[in-house]
Amino acid sequence: MMRDYFFYTDKMTVGYDGKPLIKEIEIKVNRGEILTLIGPNGAGKSTILKSITRQLKTIGGVVYLDGKMMQKMTDKEVSRRLSVVLTERIRPEMMTCEEVVGTGRYPYTGTLGILSSKDWEKVSEAMEMVHASELKKRDFTAISDGQRQRILLARAICQEPEIIILDEPTSFLDIKHKLELLNILKHMVVRRHVAVIMSLHELDLAQKISDVIVCVHGESIEKYGTPEKIFTSEYIHELYDMTSGSYNADFGCLEMEAPKGEPKVFVIAGNGSGIKEYRRLQRAGIAFLTGILHRNDIDYEVAKALASGIIEEEPFEQISEKKFQEALESIKSCEKVICCIQKFGTMNRKNEMLLEAARQMGIQIERR
Amino acid sequence: MEKRAYSRYCFAFLLLGGLLLLLFIWNVNSGSVSLSVKEIFQIIFFRRGEETAYNIVWEIRLPRILAGIILGGALSVSGFLLQTFFSNPIAGPFVLGISSGAKLVVSLVMIACLEYSYTAGSGVLILAAFFGSLICMGFILLISRKVKRMSMLVIGGIMIGYICSAITDFVVTFADDSNIVNLHNWSMGSFSGMSWENVAVMTTVTAIAMIAAFFMSKPISAYQLGEVYAQNMGVNIKVFRIMLILISSILSACVTAFAGPISFVGIAVPHLVKNIFKTAKPILVIPGCFLGGAVFCLFCDLIARTVFAPTELSISSVTAVFGAPVVIYIMIRRQKTI
């Protein structure tokens, strides 16, 4: 039931100037959960978030917060329940970080907006939560992007919201700060029991931190569900309409486009030894074949993205004679064999034989 | 609040207050007729003294000084509000052409009144100036929707200012000769020729606008983080923006109606005040700007009156000399940080 959710939208339609962009959006999130919007640039993730935070008027449908229609709530009422972290850069003049965080207390202050000592305690608490206590007296405009995002998150926490909306909170951040920020967010969701709705560009992180994923594509919400359901390589390719390169949803890893043309190189690999070689050949623009790989070999995942062809074998099986012959045929059409394996074992004995056969055929061999 | 910051704010207020007192005394004591301090003391506090001296102090110097204090303060606060509104450190009633718009409508009204041999009262002039300010403000708002860069907005404002000034000059040229001198003086900007009635009207208008501005410090400081954050803190943006425009227009209209357009005070003073206080918190900066503007204008008026006495300089020439370098400094510093 929709009504059981803390926050939900009922057939919300959003857009600019009365023109609908995304129709009949149904987003549901409970306290203690993180919901993440993913989708290509310009799909309207920000538009949806702006409509939820009431920067934009919704064109149709209803947004409910704790069972109440948000359209009927005053700005003040909303401010005590919902806070935001935005992408646009702010440059407040002569404000220390502590003061920026302090603005989160505004909904709770009197006519002149003076913070009480209790408010300042909450400011300290929020700053501690984002590990930014040492920034208190620093000028907000003089700190790094990563620190700035943490301060803005502290500001949002300080507002004691029941739900936080974040628009691409990790853009501009390096990997260390991305992880740090999302970890803080995750802890906060658990500790303060708040609901989070955000948009992320980093699919790998979205997959790991979110409880619910919403895919925005075209005129509607294309898919809605748990990360396990959403993140398949096929679907992500479709969602982002990827025409070059590929995304591996299991590892959250992007690969460049496979080199084109007639493959002239055969790579004997396995046990992760081939990954570096595959990438090197890709960079050089040399098309290649590879094998014989078990489908559970880690090389297999990269080979799938970069090789023109793979001679593959079932997991946990000895390499069959059929596959061996297939590989031999392939090697005959190649000018060079690269062997990345240093030491062969019983499972890949046939690869060793492959190398020996190539040598006898007089094909150029390089060992790595 | 921290102790150190607290004592800094106290110091800043005391400094500005002290300077104001000093300049007040200095201003009363200087002029083409020299009067001793003792004489002036007696004239002001015991209302005793020789008649000419009494009149000079009570009818000329005091109203002029009070006008300088009130209008200078009003102008600075108006500048601060506009800077907040446009989140642009070099916005102000003069550079955005708002003063010139007010000047244009006021001169039209003045000339029209002269044609029918009717002297326009302070109230009429303020209304005219307010109307002119709002028209120019409207244009500036239209421009600000199209351009996002602060320099472009200011250039737009300066152009509007030029257009208004050109039309004003045009109209003044065709006005009745005998009245031009008076009009010309006013359109250059001056605190001279203030009457007690003028002072009473400007005090009332400014006081009301100042109180309104002061009680808006909370939404203003929320707005300093940008519109969206302000809204998220519970500020009704639509109402807030209208209020901010109305208050800043009333303040700058009041100044233009009585003293003509005065340049640079609106930009330089808020900037200096923020640097003295080392904060941009509106709850401190709004009263700080009022005091600072008063000090700045009294100082400039003193120079305008005395340096080439008996010839009087236009107040704008003096404020420009001290204000323009501040603007250049702000622009250079902004360039570095962006």
Side-chain angles (χ1 to χ4, degrees), chain A residues 16-301:
Chain A
Y16 291 94
D17 304 321
K19 280 180 215 134
L21 191 69
I22 305 158
K23 289 175 196 155
E24 312 220 325
I25 302 160
E26 306 217 324
I27 291 178
K28 313 178 270 284
V29 66
N30 262 324
R31 294 184 73 166
E33 279 182 1
I34 297 180
L35 178 144
T36 307
L37 302 177
I38 61 168
N41 281 338
K45 300 186 292 290
S46 293
T47 316
I48 293 177
L49 294 181
K50 278 182 187 161
S51 304
I52 293 174
T53 59
R54 313 213 292 184
Q55 284 171 64
L56 276 178
K57 267 213 164 98
T58 51
I59 294 173
V62 192
V63 183
Y64 291 95
L65 178 63
D66 199 10
K68 276 194 224 160
M69 281 173 74
M70 262 183 81
Q71 278 99 330
K72 286 193 178 158
M73 293 163 83
T74 61
D75 283 325
K76 203 167 176 186
E77 213 176 322
V78 173
S79 70
R80 292 186 178 202
R81 304 178 137 238
L82 177 149
S83 66
V84 296
V85 176
L86 304 162
T87 27
E88 51 212 272
R89 300 214 172 178
I90 55 165
R91 307 183 46 84
E93 214 180 345
M94 295 193 200
M95 273 177 103
T96 60
C97 292
E98 185 179 45
E99 284 167 349
V100 171
V101 176
T103 61
R105 296 306 300 165
Y106 272 46
Y108 304 94
T109 57
T111 323
L112 290 176
I114 296 168
L115 273 66
S116 68
S117 55
K118 217 173 177 182
D119 288 320
W120 283 117
E121 265 168 43
K122 300 215 156 140
V123 170
S124 294
E125 217 176 284
M127 294 193 80
E128 231 163 80
M129 208 158 177
V130 302
H131 317 307
S133 299
E134 76 284 358
L135 296 175
K136 270 186 183 172
K137 303 292 168 203
R138 293 274 295 281
D139 191 302
F140 182 75
T141 50
I143 59 175
S144 75
D145 284 340
Q147 292 170 329
R148 210 168 297 169
Q149 280 307 78
R150 278 188 302 175
I151 294 295
L152 289 176
L153 183 60
R155 195 204 75 83
I157 296 171
C158 206
Q159 211 169 322
E160 299 190 315
E162 293 159 348
I163 179 165
I164 302 187
I165 313 284
L166 304 98
D167 193 2
E168 291 176 18
T170 50
S171 307
F172 311 117
L173 303 190
D174 62 30
I175 47 174
K176 168 191 148 100
H177 291 109
K178 274 188 213 287
L179 283 175
E180 201 173 55
L181 190 85
L182 291 180
N183 273 326
I184 293 168
L185 191 66
K186 189 86 198 176
H187 282 148
M188 189 195 64
V189 167
V190 175
R191 255 173 71 186
R192 298 264 174 122
H193 202 56
V194 296
V196 167
I197 297 180
M198 64 175 166
S199 61
L200 277 185
H201 270 307
E202 294 82 1
L203 294 177
D204 47 341
L205 296 173
Q207 183 176 9
K208 284 152 201 164
I209 193 179
S210 318
D211 298 294
V212 187
I213 299 282
V214 173
C215 306
V216 188
H217 192 202
E219 278 201 341
S220 61
I221 299 296
E222 199 175 78
K223 257 190 170 193
Y224 189 107
T226 56
E228 293 72 32
K229 213 175 102 193
I230 303 286
F231 284 98
T232 62
S233 302
E234 295 73 36
Y235 177 63
I236 296 298
H237 286 167
E238 189 189 313
L239 174 63
Y240 285 89
D241 194 17
M242 282 166 71
T243 48
S244 67
S246 60
Y247 179 76
N248 184 319
D250 293 328
F251 297 117
C253 151
L254 282 169
E255 292 296 344
M256 303 289 284
E257 200 173 5
K260 291 201 178 70
E262 192 67 23
K264 291 289 173 208
V265 176
F266 192 97
V267 183
I268 297 175
N271 193 26
S273 63
I275 295 178
K276 280 183 189 153
E277 190 57 29
Y278 299 154
R279 297 228 166 100
R280 191 186 68 78
L281 289 166
Q282 192 281 330
R283 280 202 304 278
I286 302 167
F288 62 91
L289 300 168
T290 184
I292 301 167
L293 293 177
H294 285 95
R295 274 213 297 279
N296 59 344
D297 197 300
I298 49 168
D299 279 346
Y300 181 75
E301 296 296 332

Side-chain angles (χ1 to χ4, degrees), chain B residues 88-151:
Chain B
N88 183 336
I90 46 175
F94 192 80
V95 285
L96 292 180
I98 295 163
S99 300
S100 308
K103 176 172 91 164
L104 172 60
V105 178
V106 172
S107 26
L108 288 177
V109 169
M110 274 185 169
I111 289 166
C113 288
L114 290 169
E115 288 292 317
Y116 299 103
S117 338
Y118 161 82
T119 322
S122 325
V124 176
L125 292 183
I126 288 190
L127 274 180
F130 182 56
F131 186 63
S133 306
L134 283 185
I135 292 175
C136 278
M137 196 65 170
F139 277 112
I140 288 291
L141 287 175
L142 284 180
I143 295 175
S144 74
R145 285 186 161 198
K146 299 279 174 203
V147 300
K148 287 276 165 266
R149 279 185 31 214
M150 67 172 196
S151 47

